[in-house]
Amino acid sequence: MLPSGWSCLGLLRHLALDVERFWFRGVLAADPGVVASVTGTRAGDDAWHPAPGDTGEGLRALYRAEAERADAVLDGLSAAQPPAWWPRELFGSYRPRSVREVLVHVLTETACHAGHADAVRELLDGRQWLVLDG
């Protein structure tokens, strides 16, 4: 865990709930349960903080399950289709205009967080994934 409270378990939980669940089941599918869980909350809620009893195994399973649900949502959509729902109160004037924009956002966010995990791994054991020598 970093001094800020960031942890790998928190990252997994964030990716499952704030990325896969929010962007696909919420934004693209307007799933009533997801919409209800987001509406009226502040951006940056507690998804970054593991719940009591969360384990790496459990959060990996949650992430895989949300990714499968996301695949099911995407199966019926075209890239140009607009999102079904958007929480204006959380993002101000920003709004994705299509499934394609949501996919690019999720890809970018997930890649960014993979970099965070790679940096933490290097801090823990000194190993580097890819080193380019001049």
Side-chain angles (χ1 to χ4, degrees):
M1 179 182 300
L2 297 178
S4 65
W6 185 100
S7 70
C8 290
L9 288 179
L11 174 63
L12 269 173
R13 193 166 191 274
H14 166 70
L15 286 169
L17 301 178
D18 291 340
V19 179
E20 296 292 324
R21 181 187 68 165
F22 172 78
W23 288 100
F24 296 111
R25 291 199 295 141
V27 173
L28 294 183
D31 178 294
V34 175
V35 170
S37 73
V38 173
T39 303
T41 64
R42 294 179 301 116
D45 65 10
D46 68 352
W48 272 101
H49 303 291
D54 276 347
T55 64
E57 182 178 322
L59 289 172
R60 283 189 303 273
L62 175 64
Y63 183 63
R64 281 190 299 270
E66 288 297 341
E68 288 174 7
R69 291 179 185 117
D71 288 346
V73 167
L74 289 168
D75 192 39
L77 302 176
S78 72
Q81 190 170 332
W85 171 76
W86 186 246
R88 288 185 187 99
E89 68 274 14
L90 296 180
F91 292 92
S93 64
Y94 169 74
R95 179 185 172 98
R97 295 170 298 199
S98 66
V99 169
R100 178 182 292 107
E101 285 186 25
V102 169
L103 287 170
V104 169
H105 174 86
V106 168
L107 178 64
T108 302
E109 184 171 355
T110 303
C112 177
H113 291 316
H116 297 146
D118 199 38
V120 168
R121 200 242 5 245
E122 183 177 341
L123 289 171
L124 290 172
D125 65 14
R127 291 184 13 208
Q128 297 174 345
W129 179 72
L130 177 64
V131 179
L132 302 175
D133 292 329

